[in-house]
Amino acid sequence: MLLKIAWRNIWRSKLRSFVVIGSIAIGVWSLVFLLSFSRGMIMTYIEKAIENQTSHIQVHNPDFINADVEANELEKAPYNFIQDVTKVKEVLASDPKVEAFAMRSYAHQTFVGVAGKTGVANVYGINPIQEKAVTNIHSLVIEGDYFEKDKKNQILISASQAEKYNIGLRKKVVLSFTDKNGNPTKVAFRVCGIYDTKNQLQDQFNVYVRQKDLNRVLGLGEESHEIAVLVNDVDGVDGIQENLSALLPSQLVRVYDQISPEIELFNVQIQLSTFIFTFIFMLGLIFGIINTMLMAVLERMRELGMLMAIGMNKAKVFKMITLETLLLGLISAPIGMLIGTLSVGYFKRVGLDLSNFSKGMQKFGMSEIVYPESSGDMYITFGIAVLITAILGSLYPAFKAISLRPVEAIRKI
Amino acid sequence: MSIISVKNIHKIYNEKTVPVHALQGVDLEIEVGEFTAIVGPSGSGKTTLLNIIGGLDRPNQGKVRLADTGLEDLNDNQLIDFRKNNIGFIFQAYNLIPVLTAQENVEFVMLLQNRPKDEMEKRAVDLLKSVGLEDKLNQRPSQLSGGQQQRVAVARALASKPKFVLADEPTANLDSKSTADLLDIMARLNKEENITFVFSTHDSRVIERARRVVNMIDGKIESDEQQAV
């Protein structure tokens, strides 16, 4: 009966209840959409990072990444190549969850010289065919080709590097290395293609050459520094990592968010912004609820006085007011979530075109079309937040109600 | 046997600012089965006395014993429980729960007493029949006339099987016909079921029907007379 009274009380002032329900629903909807939007933006970034460069899993010699983890400082040295590479290849080839893998060599912070201009680059020595199966850098070539001609010392540079050094196809780029014996050596490469990942952070440093060319320069044979692995199902990537780590105890096997610290940073950012937005939403909502419920209590003082006079104890009066507020939340939160789900679903299908604002975003590898992405956790968080807010918002009006003295309340007009 | 015993009651409002002595040493005994009207002009203290008898207000001085229970010994929560199980209230402005039907309003008091559902339903229907509202069980207060609402209030007051019923100016908002009907119902319940009724009123139509009239002036009992009806 208490629930029945609470439910019917909500509809005594329909307009007021609709205003509260509407404002909670709009708040929940905007939270769902806003956070799905930022989540979508970051997920797109992560997907692009995986597709363009990182892949799902990477295998290294543990010494290759001589990391001061606290400072995220990764020192990579050419002589720390993967030991027992044949065994690693066998393990990867025999794992059905592994879609493809590509061997890479790597030269970190290499000096670049082009017609009097100098700079620094990270040089990836790749096997073009293997790499094609793992990343999509081949599809991002906007000029020239992707190592199609079997010529020695070809280099794939980015559009931003081409602009920076003011060079084009077939121009010469001189790279300065230190070989595995510590000797400095300079080698000229010729530009075969220009790529553009739209991620300026990545594009300003990364250049690609054939692995056999880089290995020759570094004084290596068939060795590799890095194996990039693409898996069938990204959701199972942690399990695959564990499995590979167990099979290859002497190698360092890491998944994409361990490889790229900014991905972890973005994940933290999602959690933090969810918390901050939810907190601000709750703060705004709580005052709205207090205002509404206080009005409801003050309007019904005589009735509340009568209820206490005929024997309704304070606990029940308190419960009734709290129930009314909770019911408002229970009606409005699902409405907000439903509108949120529908709008997120729509924009997930058609995408949200931000090309007018995307120049700055592209510098950081963000896509110009964002596909909002919601998550179950998000809905649970907002549902709980609305209920907690409703309970907190009902406390003051409920205390106000039970502090009424029946004899005085009954006489109120 | 006294069901209500009030001894030397004093009630002072605004004690610290401008004291108003609403009751000044009132003594009153009411027996089981009485049909008593407390009468007097506005400000004579009749409603204050009724509130104190009903445990809605506490006196500054004096003792109130209801059915062998001293109200001064009860804390606020015990007092609410005592009211729930021992006193039926009828208010001037009906004060029904607007979102509940007539039947639900009557059942509500029994719900507070945790009575079984079947018993609640049966008693609510029986009581509404006895006040002539068997065809209005599912009507909400806003769909009933003032007289009908007050009859629902009578049924509600009796629902908890109280030891006595207090009615604060129950006919103040009613027309002559509704007043007569209501008084007939209460007089019948008093006579047939020996239910004790205590009214505060200055309505001559009610005073005429009371078997005992307690007249108050300036917070004191001026006269206390039995009358033939």
Side-chain angles (χ1 to χ4, degrees), chain A residues 185-221:
Chain A
T185 171
K186 283 186 180 180
V187 182
F189 286 80
R190 203 166 286 278
V191 178
C192 67
I194 297 171
Y195 73 89
D196 188 4
T197 67
K198 309 268 188 219
N199 180 345
Q200 303 248 336
L201 281 179
Q202 191 179 324
D203 286 7
Q204 65 181 326
F205 292 117
N206 291 355
V207 298
Y208 298 88
V209 299
R210 278 204 171 87
Q211 188 179 25
K212 61 183 180 186
D213 293 337
L214 183 60
N215 280 13
R216 189 174 53 248
V217 173
L218 296 176
L220 301 172

Side-chain angles (χ1 to χ4, degrees), chain B residues 151-197:
Chain B
R151 281 192 269 157
V152 176
V154 171
R156 179 181 67 184
L158 297 173
S160 63
K161 297 186 179 168
K163 296 204 165 59
F164 58 93
V165 174
L166 297 177
D168 184 15
E169 309 214 18
T171 58
N173 294 337
L174 301 183
D175 59 27
S176 301
K177 167 89 174 55
S178 301
T179 299
D181 288 348
L182 188 76
L183 288 168
D184 285 345
I185 289 165
M186 292 199 289
R188 178 171 50 79
L189 289 166
N190 171 251
K191 196 174 172 186
E192 291 175 3
E193 298 183 28
N194 203 30
I195 294 167
T196 311
F197 280 91

Side-chain angles (χ1 to χ4, degrees), chain A residues 159-398:
Chain A
S160 63
Q161 289 163 337
E163 193 183 330
K164 179 183 170 187
Y165 299 119
N166 195 23
I167 51 169
L169 293 175
R170 288 177 292 282
K171 298 291 177 194
K172 217 192 280 179
V173 175
V174 178
L175 303 179
S176 307
F177 301 99
T178 306
D179 68 15
K180 76 172 184 179
N181 302 317
N183 301 319
T185 171
K186 283 186 180 180
V187 182
F189 286 80
R190 203 166 286 278
V191 178
C192 67
I194 297 171
Y195 73 89
D196 188 4
T197 67
K198 309 268 188 219
N199 180 345
Q200 303 248 336
L201 281 179
Q202 191 179 324
D203 286 7
Q204 65 181 326
F205 292 117
N206 291 355
V207 298
Y208 298 88
V209 299
R210 278 204 171 87
Q211 188 179 25
K212 61 183 180 186
D213 293 337
L214 183 60
N215 280 13
R216 189 174 53 248
V217 173
L218 296 176
L220 301 172
E222 295 291 313
E223 292 92 348
S224 295
H225 295 117
E226 181 172 292
I227 303 177
V229 181
L230 190 71
V231 301
N232 295 327
D233 176 20
V234 68
D235 292 332
V237 72
D238 290 330
I240 299 168
Q241 178 208 20
E242 274 177 35
N243 188 35
L244 292 177
S245 294
L247 292 169
L248 304 167
S250 60
Q251 312 299 339
L252 181 66
V253 182
R254 296 179 304 161
V255 295
Y256 57 87
D257 56 352
Q258 295 167 315
I259 299 161
S260 299
E262 75 271 18
I263 292 177
E264 181 58 27
L265 178 76
F266 286 148
N267 278 331
V268 172
Q269 192 200 331
I270 290 181
Q271 285 165 13
L272 200 65
S273 50
T274 305
F275 174 76
I276 292 170
F277 286 136
T278 309
F279 182 75
I280 293 170
F281 163 72
M282 285 173 74
L283 208 61
L285 190 60
I286 206 162
F287 287 107
I289 289 176
I290 289 173
N291 182 41
T292 306
M293 292 313 295
L294 203 56
M295 275 167 71
V297 165
L298 295 177
E299 270 176 12
R300 279 158 41 200
M301 277 173 82
R302 198 164 67 176
E303 188 182 317
L304 292 166
M306 176 276 293
L307 290 170
M308 289 193 268
I310 65 171
M312 189 169 179
N313 61 32
K314 292 182 176 185
K316 283 205 167 79
V317 174
F318 195 95
K319 198 171 154 188
M320 184 177 75
I321 303 292
T322 309
L323 260 179
E324 283 178 33
T325 325
L326 263 179
L327 285 173
L328 283 172
L330 284 172
I331 298 166
S332 44
I335 294 174
M337 287 179 188
L338 181 71
I339 304 172
T341 308
L342 292 176
S343 52
V344 167
Y346 173 75
F347 284 108
K348 192 176 176 180
R349 211 169 52 245
V350 301
L352 205 61
D353 190 352
L354 299 178
S355 46
N356 289 339
F357 315 95
S358 66
K359 277 205 166 158
M361 286 160 53
Q362 277 184 18
K363 284 189 179 173
F364 298 97
M366 297 294 182
S367 170
E368 60 190 33
I369 295 179
V370 175
Y371 298 92
E373 184 81 43
S374 59
S375 73
D377 290 359
M378 205 183 263
Y379 289 105
I380 294 168
T381 305
F382 298 152
I384 293 170
V386 168
L387 295 185
I388 290 175
T389 311
I391 291 171
L392 290 176
S394 70
L395 292 182
Y396 178 66

